[in-house]
Amino acid sequence: MIATLEKAQQVEQAASALVVASLAGVTQNYGEVCALRNMTFRVGPGQVVALLGPNGAGKTTAVKLLLGLLEPNAGRVRVFGGDPTNPQNRMRTGAMLQVGRVPETLRIREHIDLFSSYYASPLPIEEVLAAAGLEKLADRKFGDLSGGQRQRTLFALAICGDPDLLFLDEPTAGLDVEARRALWDGIRHLVRRGKSVLLTTHYLEEADALADRIAVINQGTIIAEGTPAEIKAQTSGKRIRCVTSLDLKSLLQIPGVIDVKQDRNTVEIQAREAELVVRALLNRDSTLSGLEITAAGLEEAFLALTQDNNENANRQN
């Protein structure tokens, strides 16, 4: 009996070693509003996991639960196999959130020195500055920084403690293309060192470029999960570009059309079955020209998945 119990404990420990952070059957309510519904979600070691969803889908609530800032109404939250509020577990996590402020009169170097003092084995300050692309700005006051420079400073504060698990909530918001790519390189460097990253972002290109796994959340529930390639394969959507005399409202009424965007003199149509939509376009517009059809990317897959989920929810209601 004792041997059986010890073996079961060993199996549980081995399984937990494969999971850095998890939600298991978690439900979270804000009064009468249900933010998460029986949600199960995992982050593995050495992975970048992107949590994608529209505004209000439950992404921030999931992050707050994993950070120990909220206690679930039901289900279990684990970080490094234990309670996320455990001081030892908190010492192994770092977070870059959209909310919160830091003193504007301190210089970047002073901020990093202060945050580093909270950790037992912080990274050298010069390594932190380099990872965030702040070497030339180290002595500038936070209040004098641009929006993008502030984002990079918050990233530096999130990584200065050399965390094993890093939460990044919209980390590249406000960054130009060059700064965004530099931050991506910093994230990849962390992962090569065995760190785990939970990323929330509205830049789907960012998730496609960085994530080992993607989880799509909508209305408090995970509706799709897998590698970027697997997520894109879950929809047969295509992108259609053309020059048409039809207005956007008329295009949206064509069966199978998911979304429509105007791009100068052309329109970009996202469709589930391109062939059917193209036939409809040709029947309705004899002047149609400049027709191009390409395979669906992550953006098209995301839109199709969330729209289908919303439609199913509306039918059930």
Side-chain angles (χ1 to χ4, degrees):
M1 180 68 179
I2 295 176
T4 302
L5 180 60
E6 289 179 348
K7 185 175 181 180
Q9 291 173 339
Q10 290 173 356
V11 170
E12 185 176 354
Q13 290 172 354
S16 64
L18 300 176
V19 180
V20 174
S22 66
L23 303 178
V26 168
T27 295
Q28 181 66 44
N29 299 315
Y30 297 106
E32 296 182 356
V33 177
C34 185
L36 297 180
R37 294 178 175 84
N38 195 31
M39 179 172 167
T40 295
F41 175 72
R42 294 180 176 182
V43 178
Q47 286 187 335
V48 177
V49 179
L51 187 59
L52 307 181
N55 290 332
K59 302 187 298 296
T60 299
T61 296
V63 170
K64 286 183 176 180
L65 285 163
L66 290 167
L67 284 169
L69 301 177
L70 291 174
E71 185 174 342
N73 298 114
R76 188 173 71 171
V77 182
R78 287 291 181 267
V79 173
F80 302 115
D83 190 329
T85 62
N86 182 304
Q88 291 182 336
N89 288 338
R90 283 189 164 171
M91 290 289 288
R92 298 178 63 189
T93 62
M96 178 181 175
L97 305 179
Q98 296 185 70
V99 295
R101 299 183 62 183
V102 297
E104 300 202 349
T105 55
L106 290 182
R107 303 178 190 280
I108 291 176
R109 185 183 299 275
E110 293 171 331
H111 274 300
I112 297 174
D113 278 336
L114 177 61
F115 271 68
S116 296
S117 69
Y118 302 146
Y119 297 90
S121 302
L123 292 171
I125 188 170
E126 298 306 325
E127 184 176 338
V128 176
L129 291 169
L134 294 169
E135 302 100 315
K136 298 180 180 180
L137 300 172
D139 295 318
R140 187 172 296 183
K141 292 181 180 179
F142 188 82
D144 295 333
L145 301 178
S146 67
Q149 291 166 346
R150 290 183 179 217
Q151 283 291 100
R152 284 186 278 158
T153 301
L154 295 177
F155 177 72
L157 299 181
I159 68 172
C160 68
D162 197 19
D164 294 315
L165 173 61
L166 182 62
F167 296 90
L168 299 176
D169 191 11
E170 303 291 345
T172 61
L175 298 185
D176 59 30
V177 173
E178 184 178 357
R180 180 175 294 124
R181 296 302 173 95
L183 200 64
W184 290 2
D185 288 340
I187 295 170
R188 292 186 179 109
H189 176 68
L190 291 170
V191 175
R192 285 195 295 268
R193 295 179 54 229
K195 310 299 185 179
S196 302
V197 178
L198 176 57
L199 169 72
T200 67
T201 180
H202 282 98
Y203 296 113
L204 299 187
E205 176 194 6
E206 185 165 89
D208 204 357
L210 291 175
D212 299 292
R213 285 178 44 247
I214 290 173
V216 181
I217 182 174
N218 193 40
Q219 299 185 23
T221 303
I222 299 291
I223 61 173
E225 191 168 3
T227 66
E230 289 169 343
I231 293 295
K232 286 182 279 191
Q234 290 192 39
T235 175
S236 59
K238 299 287 183 69
R239 182 189 296 115
I240 303 167
R241 290 180 64 88
C242 61
V243 178
T244 177
S245 60
L246 299 175
D247 59 31
L248 300 186
K249 184 177 180 181
S250 298
L251 292 171
L252 282 169
Q253 292 174 348
I254 296 176
V257 171
I258 300 170
D259 192 29
V260 179
K261 295 180 182 177
Q262 186 76 45
D263 184 8
R264 288 166 291 185
N265 64 325
T266 65
V267 293
E268 184 175 291
I269 303 169
Q270 294 168 13
R272 292 187 183 86
E273 297 184 39
E275 295 78 8
L276 295 178
V277 173
V278 169
R279 290 191 189 101
L281 287 169
L282 292 170
N283 287 333
R284 301 182 188 196
D285 182 8
S286 60
T287 67
L288 190 78
S289 63
L291 183 64
E292 298 177 10
I293 304 175
T294 56
L298 186 59
E299 180 177 349
E300 290 82 7
F302 173 81
L303 287 170
L305 288 166
T306 53
Q307 181 169 317
D308 286 346
N309 182 253
N310 290 337
E311 290 175 354
N312 290 336
N314 289 336
R315 283 195 291 269
Q316 293 173 2
N317 292 332

